Amino acid sequence: MSTSEGPLQLDSTFAVVNPALRTEVLAVTDTFWADLDLRYGDFAGHTLISSFSFDADWPTWEMHPNGDEVVCLLSGDADMVFATADGETSVRLAQPGSFVIVPRDTWHTARIHAPTTMLFVTPGEGTENRETPGESRGGQ
């Protein structure tokens, strides 16, 4: 894609960075997740750049076993919550532009205090989702 095609919007277009560090843009449609699986299989070596808006706490916890995830607050107010051996810890994201790095193998979720939009840079291969945090492989 050339820059002459104009700016892209994260609410309708996500980006996938492949292992060769080339970026492909994909329209966000009702079949986006199924299309992603068809196109990239297990997502090995790929990173998804996406944005999501929330007005309620995340219903699940997630963990990324193949790399750290960057979560950046674009607007709103939320706590990023991490499961640790000692229980839960959290980081408040209340200033646009503030971000956290979620270490690989760390179960995490978000508690939303106001309508919130976040930017995610996610190594998607092997991502797990659960209602409660589970044991991870060699991480926290």
Side-chain angles (χ1 to χ4, degrees):
M1 163 173 207
S2 70
T3 56
S4 64
E5 292 184 39
L8 302 168
Q9 295 295 317
L10 273 171
D11 60 352
S12 60
T13 309
F14 292 166
V16 175
V17 181
N18 70 24
L21 301 180
R22 302 284 300 176
T23 304
E24 182 175 358
V25 295
L26 300 172
V28 179
T29 65
D30 291 341
T31 61
F32 177 80
W33 297 108
D35 295 343
L36 200 65
D37 287 343
L38 287 173
R39 184 176 237 156
Y40 300 106
D42 65 3
F43 218 64
H46 291 77
T47 300
L48 178 66
I49 301 170
S50 60
S51 174
F52 293 96
S53 295
F54 310 95
D55 57 9
D57 294 350
W58 293 6
T60 60
W61 292 73
E62 66 178 21
M63 184 268 294
H64 311 287
N66 288 293
D68 299 344
E69 179 179 44
V70 177
V71 180
C72 179
L73 183 73
L74 299 178
S75 65
D77 184 1
D79 287 329
M80 288 301 300
V81 182
F82 308 98
T84 68
D86 298 324
E88 293 180 3
T89 62
S90 65
V91 174
R92 187 83 175 246
L93 299 175
Q95 280 292 106
S98 59
F99 70 96
V100 295
I101 299 171
V102 180
R104 101 177 37 223
D105 282 331
T106 301
W107 288 98
H108 57 285
T109 191
R111 297 198 177 112
I112 307 301
H113 302 290
T116 296
T117 301
M118 297 176 170
L119 171 75
F120 299 87
V121 180
T122 308
E125 179 186 6
T127 293
E128 294 183 39
N129 289 278
R130 297 192 181 157
E131 289 185 24
T132 58
E135 294 297 316
S136 62
R137 292 167 269 185
Q140 298 180 356

